[in-house]
Amino acid sequence: MTFLSEATIRAALATQAYRSGVVRLVDPDLSGCTHLVATRHGLFATDGCDLRRVAHGFFYGITVRDDAIYVFEAGDWPRSPTRRGRIVRFRRVGERIAAVDVLATGLDNGCHQIDLIDDRLCVLDTYHQRVLRFAVDGGVPETLCPIGPARDGDWAGGYVHVNSLIAYDDAILLLLHNGADRTGRASEIARLTRDWRLVDRTPLDGLGCHNLALLENGAVLTCGSFAGDLVATDGLKVPVCDMMTRGLSVDAGGIVVGGSAFADRAVRDTAGGALVFLDRAYRPLGRIAVPGPVTEVRRIDGQDRSLSPYLADLTKTKSA
């Protein structure tokens, strides 16, 4: 008798859900929870003490506007060429998910962060080094290549592994991972105009970085993933955990950082994870285990300095 591994079963169930157009919602109740957590082992909600499974699946990007939660879900392993990625929208009524829609399908399984910029849903098609820009209700995307085309893994040919984005004021920022484990290069922030033209690239004091958040002093905070820390453009560097830091949420009262156990890429998606809670002075408040590597963390209410819609609202408030 042949026994299938848990990972193989999870991948088969994800493929079945994709093919049938089903979103495997588990618990629509978000009451008491503050943050959503994307992992390759499912989508979760947390109140800072415990986790609640919202849906089964392979999840990465999350963005929020008003009562709509947009997530990227893959129907296969990230580097599989099957193109079973999709965008799912959850509609909240109060503290419950009341409706679920699939807005786009046929995306690469390895898409990373998503966000809403200038009323368009922007999806980082990381392995193809491009941005897919959708209407908020889906449809056919526009394809943008602000860093220039390159083949996945061709570090000498210009591949940079763009994994995160954020927009504020007149700028769009992209985070360039730069593959330090292969190239030795620090990560960079690429600054673009609002029409996606490259202005400049600035090195960070971090390796293998993920995520972007705009702080009140104008500095940009990111996860120095390879060192398990947080780094900022104003020189800040704070150790967080003994894991790869990935997933970052910043609000007025605290910071939540995701962690993924260090592991070879072949087995990384079966490794464990964690959420680390900090106050705004970067002092640890707590830590909870997550059944899988964390890929994204967002506030459910969208009041998150890692989200472009929230930063746009802050800009409107200041100019009013």
Side-chain angles (χ1 to χ4, degrees), residues 98-177:
V100 182
D101 305 295
V102 176
L103 301 184
T105 58
L107 307 182
D108 186 74
N109 294 304
C111 289
H112 280 49
Q113 258 199 352
I114 65 176
D115 207 354
L116 286 157
I117 299 175
D118 297 330
D119 293 320
R120 293 290 186 272
L121 181 62
C122 299
V123 178
L124 284 179
D125 188 354
T126 296
Y127 299 138
H128 296 93
Q129 197 142 298
R130 61 189 184 181
V131 179
L132 305 178
R133 194 162 68 155
F134 292 85
V136 291
D137 291 322
V140 178
E142 175 187 8
T143 300
L144 306 171
C145 295
I147 305 299
R151 289 184 297 105
D152 176 23
D154 184 10
W155 303 102
Y159 182 69
V160 294
H161 196 77
V162 185
N163 61 40
S164 307
L165 77 168
I166 199 168
Y168 64 95
D169 296 338
D170 61 352
I172 297 170
L173 304 184
L174 299 178
L175 184 53
L176 316 184
H177 179 287

Side-chain angles (χ1 to χ4, degrees), residues 38-87:
T39 80
R40 300 294 190 193
H41 290 239
L43 183 68
F44 296 87
T46 183
D47 60 1
C49 297
D50 296 299
L51 285 178
R52 181 181 306 167
R53 185 183 292 275
V54 177
H56 290 292
F58 296 158
F59 292 95
Y60 203 116
I62 307 172
T63 194
V64 179
R65 185 170 68 181
D66 300 328
D67 64 351
I69 299 167
Y70 300 83
V71 301
F72 174 78
E73 181 191 2
D76 209 335
W77 293 110
R79 289 189 176 273
S80 171
T82 52
R83 300 191 65 83
R84 294 178 183 142
R86 63 185 182 179
I87 301 296

